[in-house]
């Protein structure tokens, strides 16, 4: 994930048929939807993909399908750690890397126990790297099963190994993002922010791009932001976009990823709203909020010229 590739990397949804099986035809259309929007990479087999509700064979087949569809047009990354002894995790890291992805994402909350110290966590990361020689990796501070946020010092030491190409940051703290950027100025590495409250500030601080759920509602908007964040003549439009993301954050997070699938379906993408994860009831009120979201989005689109 070179810094020249600054842009949006969507956390991909997994389309299911109404009987709960992975819908690979819908996956083709969804992947094309992302690519047509101008994304700079794809993050398959992630939390938005309902990765904890997939078995290992499904994780492999889903990721391999995305790699095939992308056909090397953009980098593809995918999660490769799901708990257990480090040696066991290393075997799956190597297996999913063999699907042809560009890097294997390590979930910070699944490499070590919640009770483990930072030093114990660091040791396990280094052990995992030793057991998976030559495999490029990244980190994702996934909120489940608990949230472990890397310090700037930790991330800097990992990036210094030359093995880390990607980091999805969920610290929700622009000062932490800046601190991480200050110690990871290495070619081939990119920090991608998930928190849209400070999306504009993060890009201007030097983040390589964004990797957020909002792009599952309107990927072209996040692509536009990544392309235009540094243009002073567009300050008014950029600030309006930032305000829009803040205003509608709760709507997009509520009953997710069902809400995102519903939104894509309303846009004409043939995707079922079926989710394996129990995300609660999608109510008529939720539907009205999504309708209002897109009404406001249409106004914003006209203002910024998408």
């Amino acid at each position: 994930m070179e810094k020249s590739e600054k842009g949006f990397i969507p956390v991909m949804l997994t389309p299911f048929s109404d009987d709960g099986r992975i819908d690979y035809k819908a996956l083709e259309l969804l992947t094309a939807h992302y690519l047509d929007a101008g994304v700079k990479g794809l993050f398959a087999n992630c939390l938005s993909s309902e990765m904890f509700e997939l078995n290992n064979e499904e994780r492999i087949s889903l990721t391999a399908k995305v790699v095939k569809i992308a056909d090397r047009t953009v980098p593809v990354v995918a999660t490769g750690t799901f708990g257990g002894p480090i040696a066991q995790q290393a075997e799956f890291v190597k297996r999913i890397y063999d699907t042809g992805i560009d890097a294997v994402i390590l979930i910070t909350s699944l490499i070590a126990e919640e009770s483990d110290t930072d030093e114990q966590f660091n040791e396990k990361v280094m052990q995992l790297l030793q057991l998976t020689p030559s495999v490029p990796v990244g980190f994702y501070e996934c909120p489940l099963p608990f949230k472990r946020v890397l310090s700037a010092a930790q991330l800097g030491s990992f990036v210094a190994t030359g093995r880390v190409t990607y980091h999805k940051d969920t610290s929700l703290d622009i000062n932490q993002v800046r601190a991480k950027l200050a110690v990871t100025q290495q070619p081939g590495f990119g920090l991608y922010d998930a928190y849209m409250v400070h999306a504009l500030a993060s890009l201007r601080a030097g983040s390589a791009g964004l990797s957020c759920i909002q792009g599952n509602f309107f990927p072209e908007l996040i692509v536009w932001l990544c392309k235009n964040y540094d243009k002073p003549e567009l300050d008014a439009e950029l600030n309006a976009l930032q305000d829009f993301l803040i205003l509608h954050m709760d709507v997009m997070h509520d009953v997710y990823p069902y809400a995102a699938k519903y939104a894509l379906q309303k846009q004409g993408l043939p995707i079922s709203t079926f989710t394996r994860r129990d995300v609660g009831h999608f109510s008529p009120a939720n539907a009205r909020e999504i309708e209002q979201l897109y009404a406001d989005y249409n106004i914003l689109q006209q203002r910024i010229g998408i």
Side-chain angles (χ1 to χ4, degrees):
M1 299 293 181
E2 294 285 352
K3 293 191 176 180
S4 61
E5 292 294 298
K6 182 185 288 282
F8 171 49
I9 299 180
V11 283
M12 296 182 66
L13 301 170
T14 297
F16 297 103
S17 57
D18 289 334
D19 63 3
R21 293 178 297 172
I22 297 175
D23 185 342
Y24 288 99
K25 179 60 178 177
L27 180 64
E28 290 181 15
L29 298 172
L30 176 62
T31 306
H33 177 67
Y34 294 130
L35 295 173
D36 289 346
V39 303
K40 291 296 185 181
L42 296 165
F43 187 170
N45 191 39
C46 57
L47 187 59
S48 289
S49 311
E50 301 175 70
M51 62 182 180
F52 293 124
E53 286 71 42
L54 303 175
N55 60 42
N56 277 350
E57 297 310 313
E58 289 174 319
R59 292 162 180 160
I60 293 293
S61 63
L62 177 77
T63 301
K65 183 67 170 179
V66 172
V67 169
K68 182 177 180 180
I69 300 166
D71 195 25
R72 311 310 299 177
T73 56
V74 298
V76 178
V77 300
T79 302
T81 55
F82 291 93
I86 292 299
Q88 174 184 312
Q89 296 199 49
E91 288 306 308
F92 192 73
V93 164
K94 289 184 283 189
R95 188 177 173 203
I96 202 164
Y97 183 60
D98 285 343
T99 62
I101 58 177
D102 294 84
V104 179
I105 304 306
L106 315 179
I107 301 298
T108 56
S109 58
L110 289 172
I111 294 174
E113 301 297 326
E114 189 170 9
S115 59
D116 284 352
T117 64
D118 284 350
E119 290 72 21
Q120 290 172 311
F121 173 84
N122 296 349
E123 289 174 3
K124 290 180 179 179
V125 169
M126 291 305 181
Q127 182 185 356
L128 183 59
L129 293 181
Q130 290 171 0
L131 292 172
T132 57
S134 77
V135 176
V137 301
F139 291 99
Y140 171 24
E141 297 166 338
C142 183
L144 296 176
F146 65 93
K147 192 169 181 178
R148 183 185 288 272
V149 175
L150 301 182
S151 69
Q154 284 178 297
L155 184 59
S157 68
F158 299 145
V159 172
T161 66
R163 294 278 301 280
V164 183
T165 65
Y166 170 96
H167 174 69
K168 179 178 175 180
D169 195 89
T170 68
S171 67
L172 315 184
D173 184 338
I174 189 60
N175 291 323
Q176 286 197 46
V177 170
R178 290 183 176 122
K180 290 174 181 176
L181 290 169
V183 296
T184 54
Q185 298 299 309
Q186 181 162 315
F189 169 77
L191 182 149
Y192 292 79
D193 209 327
Y195 192 44
M196 292 300 95
V197 167
H198 60 227
L200 194 53
S202 183
L203 289 168
R204 289 173 173 171
S207 295
L210 303 172
S211 192
C212 54
I213 73 165
Q214 286 77 3
N216 283 327
F217 292 84
F218 21 67
E220 68 283 350
L221 180 67
I222 310 303
V223 168
W224 187 91
L225 175 58
C226 290
K227 286 182 176 179
N228 296 287
Y229 73 96
D230 59 347
K231 296 179 179 176
E233 69 273 18
L234 293 176
D235 270 354
E237 290 84 356
L238 288 162
N239 289 331
L241 191 161
Q242 180 68 86
D243 290 344
F244 170 84
L245 292 173
I246 294 171
L247 177 65
H248 292 289
M249 178 165 289
D250 289 345
V251 171
M252 289 181 278
H253 277 82
D254 197 16
V255 202
Y256 178 85
Y258 186 108
K261 293 180 178 182
Y262 174 84
L264 290 172
Q265 190 181 79
K266 298 294 283 187
Q267 293 178 69
L269 197 71
I271 180 173
S272 169
T273 54
F274 185 95
T275 59
R276 290 187 183 177
R277 189 191 314 162
D278 182 7
V279 295
H281 175 60
F282 187 81
S283 68
N286 291 125
R288 289 193 295 272
E289 288 174 340
I290 295 295
E291 297 292 343
Q292 186 60 54
L293 169 69
Y294 276 92
D296 292 348
Y297 178 51
N298 288 336
I299 295 171
L300 179 65
Q301 278 183 301
Q302 294 173 23
R303 178 170 183 179
I304 66 179
I306 294 181

